[in-house]
Amino acid sequence: DDVPPPPAPFAHRIVTLRSGDVSSQFNLSSKDILGGGKFGEVHTCTEKQTGLKLAAKVIRKQGAKDKEMVLLEIDVMNQLNHRNLIQLYDAIETPREIILFMEFVEGGELFERIIDDDYHLTEVDCMVFVRQICEGIRFMHHMHVLHLDLKPENILCVAATGHMVKIIDFGLARRYNPQEKLKVNFGTPEFLSPEVVNYEQVSYSTDMWSMGVITYMLLSGLSPFLGDNDTETLNNVLAANWYFDEETFESVSDEAKDFVSNLIIKEKSGRMSAGQCLQHPWLNNLAEKAKRCNRRLKSQVLLKKYVMRRRWKKNFIGVCAANRFKKITSSGSLTALGV
Ligand code: PIT
């Protein structure tokens, strides 16, 4: 069922940040947390007047730069009218926070969905997912936007059944002007390209490296550059030190390996563009391939281990932060809290 995902339940809108009272217009669920990050949390939410369900990204205004960053995120999302890119609905500023209201999808993270024991993951499934991600990226790049933080967590399923996916989180995205030499120093080590690690100029091909890493992981369940710590991971990236693990890739097609090999390339100019990816034989004739290939990928077991480890790491960091907080508050030191 490689049918395209339905568009958002609302037409694309050009959103401008406005001041307003949130609770008179929206019901934010404090319990139902969809995601989070340094900025704050994402909650489910409904618009009172219409009953429309949305995802509300609540961003705390802490530093002077926070608002500037959110304005950039709004500007970027205003360009991105595409069914594989999460849509922006509204943006409200309050004295302490800025809230971005986004399209709600109910399927959760792609990797969380496909590790389910009841899910039968085949190579054709991977093609269907990767095709849609490439379609989203192609549109983004066509609109001169770089995502710069493509990773499995930022790919969501539209529903608990079916195979439709959308890209989220434009918090690090940038408008790209080839005349300006854009350099960035953020992202997640496992998915960073050599040019980001080296603090060199980034471009469209920077997102394509990440697409290669995500595809590698879907096919094998292994993270190609992951080391025992961030330094080791970054060194692996810089050396472009990766290979197809023989046992795990045994049942993976040569076309798939060729696809990945044309993305995870140290030299930026050597990587396929999103348009070239969509022309690649691996992402074509899917209906025909679906008839022939129904083999369950070995990657599912390893992906499960990967997701469990990631969950554990996140919890660990959360518990550490909570303990630090407890220690500080019980010591009565308010300066340590920045109060
Ligand atoms: C969902 C469903 C949905 C949107 C999201 C999650 C959004 C998550 C998100 C978005 C961001 C970000 C972090 C997480 O920085 O419709 O389960 O921009």
Side-chain angles (χ1 to χ4, degrees):
D1 61 350
D2 58 340
V3 283
F10 51 88
H12 182 75
R13 325 166 116 209
I14 302 299
V15 171
T16 41
L17 183 63
R18 62 189 176 97
S19 303
D21 171 41
V22 173
S23 59
S24 65
Q25 298 166 69
F26 297 95
N27 270 326
L28 252 75
S29 159
S30 51
K31 279 184 296 175
D32 213 356
I33 296 175
L34 296 168
K38 266 192 226 127
F39 59 84
E41 283 167 348
V42 181
H43 297 260
T44 57
C45 147
T46 43
E47 187 180 36
K48 287 186 173 173
Q49 204 182 8
T50 58
L52 180 67
K53 194 160 181 185
L54 296 161
K57 176 172 174 176
V58 182
I59 302 151
R60 288 184 302 264
K61 286 194 289 186
Q62 286 164 321
K65 281 219 150 172
D66 289 343
K67 181 167 171 179
E68 227 176 281
M69 296 274 289
V70 183
L71 287 172
L72 192 68
E73 185 169 349
I74 294 171
D75 178 50
V76 159
M77 290 186 85
N78 277 335
Q79 317 283 321
L80 302 179
N81 178 11
H82 190 273
R83 61 188 178 220
N84 295 115
L85 307 173
I86 213 90
Q87 297 295 297
L88 184 60
Y89 185 75
D90 204 350
I92 299 183
E93 182 171 20
T94 70
R96 284 162 177 269
E97 296 161 338
I98 296 176
I99 306 176
L100 298 185
F101 297 90
M102 294 175 284
E103 173 185 3
F104 174 72
V105 293
E106 59 187 21
E109 280 178 32
L110 172 63
F111 274 24
E112 295 277 353
R113 163 121 190 277
I114 61 181
I115 58 169
D116 195 292
D117 291 333
D118 296 331
Y119 189 90
H120 184 98
L121 181 71
T122 69
E123 194 179 310
V124 178
D125 289 337
C126 298
M127 298 173 201
V128 172
F129 296 134
V130 172
R131 225 193 130 78
Q132 294 172 77
I133 304 169
C134 285
E135 277 170 6
I137 299 177
R138 179 173 59 176
F139 185 83
M140 216 160 51
H141 290 177
H142 178 68
M143 299 310 284
H144 305 281
V145 170
L146 308 180
H147 188 284
L148 299 175
D149 197 22
L150 289 172
K151 57 182 174 183
E153 283 167 76
N154 286 339
I155 313 296
L156 294 189
C157 294
V158 171
T161 56
H163 290 85
M164 304 163 193
V165 294
K166 298 193 189 225
I167 300 174
I168 56 162
D169 196 350
F170 299 90
L172 299 179
R174 292 283 181 276
R175 298 294 299 276
Y176 180 63
N177 174 356
Q179 261 100 55
E180 288 167 21
K181 293 203 179 346
L182 179 64
K183 295 176 179 182
V184 296
N185 59 348
F186 47 62
T188 312
E190 283 171 83
F191 307 99
L192 291 183
S193 59
E195 61 271 19
V196 173
V197 179
N198 273 328
Y199 199 61
E200 290 166 2
Q201 196 180 352
V202 295
S203 91
Y204 301 120
S205 43
T206 304
D207 283 334
M208 299 320 294
W209 169 282
S210 312
M211 183 71 257
V213 176
I214 295 170
T215 310
Y216 182 106
M217 293 182 74
L218 273 169
L219 292 166
S220 67
L222 302 168
S223 180
F225 299 105
L226 187 62
D228 288 336
N229 52 55
D230 285 353
T231 312
E232 219 176 282
T233 304
L234 295 174
N235 277 327
N236 288 337
V237 171
L238 283 182
N241 178 18
W242 71 280
Y243 57 92
F244 291 117
D245 178 76
E246 224 171 273
E247 201 190 321
T248 342
F249 277 92
E250 192 183 45
S251 58
V252 171
S253 72
D254 286 338
E255 273 180 6
K257 287 188 239 181
D258 185 77
F259 182 85
V260 171
S261 306
N262 280 294
L263 287 173
I264 315 185
I265 294 178
K266 187 164 182 175
E267 177 55 43
K268 279 198 303 243
S269 60
R271 301 172 203 156
M272 291 188 288
S273 66
Q276 286 170 326
C277 286
L278 290 165
Q279 300 288 318
H280 190 279
W282 188 56
L283 292 188
N284 285 283
N285 296 323
L286 301 202
E288 177 62 29
K289 288 175 192 166
K291 277 186 231 153
R292 282 185 283 119
C293 151
N294 193 28
R295 190 182 322 147
R296 197 167 187 161
L297 279 178
K298 283 184 186 171
S299 71
Q300 221 178 340
V301 181
L302 293 170
L303 271 177
K304 191 165 185 163
K305 281 192 189 152
Y306 175 83
V307 169
M308 299 291 194
R309 212 166 34 233
R310 196 183 61 189
R311 244 186 247 164
W312 187 87
K313 270 192 215 163
K314 269 195 184 160
N315 263 329
F316 183 74
I317 293 167
V319 170
C320 287
N323 284 341
R324 260 198 321 274
F325 184 76
K326 253 194 260 166
K327 219 157 129 192
I328 293 166
T329 46
S330 65
S331 75
S333 160
L334 294 175
T335 45
L337 279 171
V339 179

